């Protein structure tokens, strides 16, 4: 590639300083010897459209989109994938031929991470218990339904948000009151925390795990710390546990491949680069 045609990508959101995506994409670019750049950009809601429309003219081949722009960018896209439409949000834009393509790879990243961290887990083997009904939960639920999970038990502090997801995603979802969320665990073969509980500086998800079978797989979307209180307690019971860092890495791979033309490696070096970046 000639020097005057160096591909640019990046991530837009606000705030953006905490994002691990520049460290992740940066190490992939270095390892693969690609002369590209991945740049964090703090963009306000007010400037979102102007910025997104200007980026392709500045040499950007695409971007990741994070909070609070994931929903709004859908309306700026010329083409939206089915999964982004279903989730109602996009995390990956591709700029090509003067068009904006929007996709959502969060659900893909979640399932890939789960399959890698818990290869014995079978989607059809039993119910999944999901804590939380926010944006991340939508992607998790869409991907679990797509994978063939027979039942999703859902509990959220604000019950109305869980009910809205049931209205949208259908009857394979059953809702549990937040105060009785422990009842979801009985017979569940997969447990997922999509809330921010357990994150550094936040309270732990304190649900009692008495009903949890050691055969269940437990995963947390929180990755700071890598081992949340939930994962530690589940590990003590004997469950296979899967941390949330892999979801971040796997959701990033399809965008990188489309922008820069190469499938990036996912291994321990990748994890180290994200953790130290
Ligand atoms: P994300 O895109 O990461 O899912 P979000 O849409 O803000 O972010 O959702 C955050 C999730 O964490 C929600 O399920 C939220 O519960 P509410 O819908 O009741 O707000 C959950 N959450 C955050 N703080 C919580 C707390 N202290 N107790 C229980 N749930 C909490």
């Amino acid at each position: 590639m000639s020097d005057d045609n160096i591909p640019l990508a990046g991530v837009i959101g606000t705030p953006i300083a905490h994002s691990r995506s520049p460290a992740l994409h940066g190490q992939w670019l270095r390892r693969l010897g690609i002369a590209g750049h991945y740049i964090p950009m703090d963009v306000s809601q007010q400037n979102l459209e102007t910025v997104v429309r200007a980026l392709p003219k500045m040499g950007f081949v695409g971007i990741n989109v994070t909070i609070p722009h994931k929903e709004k960018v859908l309306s700026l896209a010329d083409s939206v994938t089915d999964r982004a439409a279903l989730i109602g949000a996009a995390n990956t834009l591709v700029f090509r031929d003067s068009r904006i393509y929007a996709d959502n790879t969060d659900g893909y990243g979640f399932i890939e991470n789960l399959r890698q961290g818990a290869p014995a887990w079978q989607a059809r083997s039993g119910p999944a218990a999901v804590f939380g009904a926010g944006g991340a939960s939508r992607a998790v639920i869409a991907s679990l339904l797509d994978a063939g999970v027979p039942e999703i038990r859902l509990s959220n502090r604000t019950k109305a948000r869980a009910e809205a997801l049931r209205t949208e995603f259908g009857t394979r979802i059953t809702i549990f009151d937040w105060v009785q969320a422990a009842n979801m665990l009985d017979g569940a073969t997969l447990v997922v925390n999509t809330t921010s509980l357990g994150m550094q500086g936040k309270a732990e998800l304190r649900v009692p795990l008495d009903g949890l079978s050691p055969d269940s797989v437990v995963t947390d979307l929180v990755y700071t710390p890598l081992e949340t209180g939930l994962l530690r307690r589940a590990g003590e019971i004997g469950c296979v546990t899967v941390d949330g860092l892999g979801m971040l890495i796997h959701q990033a791979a399809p965008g990188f491949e489309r922008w820069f033309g190469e499938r990036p490696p996912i291994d321990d070096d990748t994890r180290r680069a994200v953790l130290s970046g």
Side-chain angles (χ1 to χ4, degrees), residues 47-62:
N47 290 334
L48 178 67
E49 178 163 5
T50 315
V51 168
V52 169
R53 297 210 183 284
L55 289 172
K57 299 170 190 157
M58 298 161 59
F60 279 79
V61 289

Side-chain angles (χ1 to χ4, degrees), residues 67 70-71 131-138 155-159 161-162 178 193-197 199 202-203 205 221:
I67 292 165
K70 286 179 148 188
E71 290 83 17
F131 294 94
S137 178
R138 296 176 70 90
S155 188
N156 194 52
R157 176 182 60 177
T158 311
K159 196 175 179 184
R161 287 183 98 184
W178 186 243
N193 176 38
T194 76
T195 75
S196 46
L197 292 173
M199 202 179 277
K202 292 229 175 192
L205 177 62
L221 268 51

Side-chain angles (χ1 to χ4, degrees), residues 121 125-127 129 153 182-191 208-219 230-231 233-241:
W121 175 75
S125 63
R153 299 168 177 175
N183 294 342
M184 297 200 293
L185 303 181
D186 195 10
T189 54
L190 175 69
V191 177
L209 301 185
D210 310 335
L212 189 62
S213 154
D215 298 330
S216 309
V217 173
V218 180
T219 184
L230 173 68
L231 293 186
R233 290 191 295 138
E236 284 163 7
I237 290 168
C239 299
V240 169
T241 61

Side-chain angles (χ1 to χ4, degrees), residues 32-56:
L32 295 171
I34 297 173
H37 296 285
Y38 185 100
I39 301 156
M41 292 170 281
D42 197 316
V43 177
S44 69
Q45 308 234 29
Q46 191 197 345
N47 290 334
L48 178 67
E49 178 163 5
T50 315
V51 168
V52 169
R53 297 210 183 284
L55 289 172

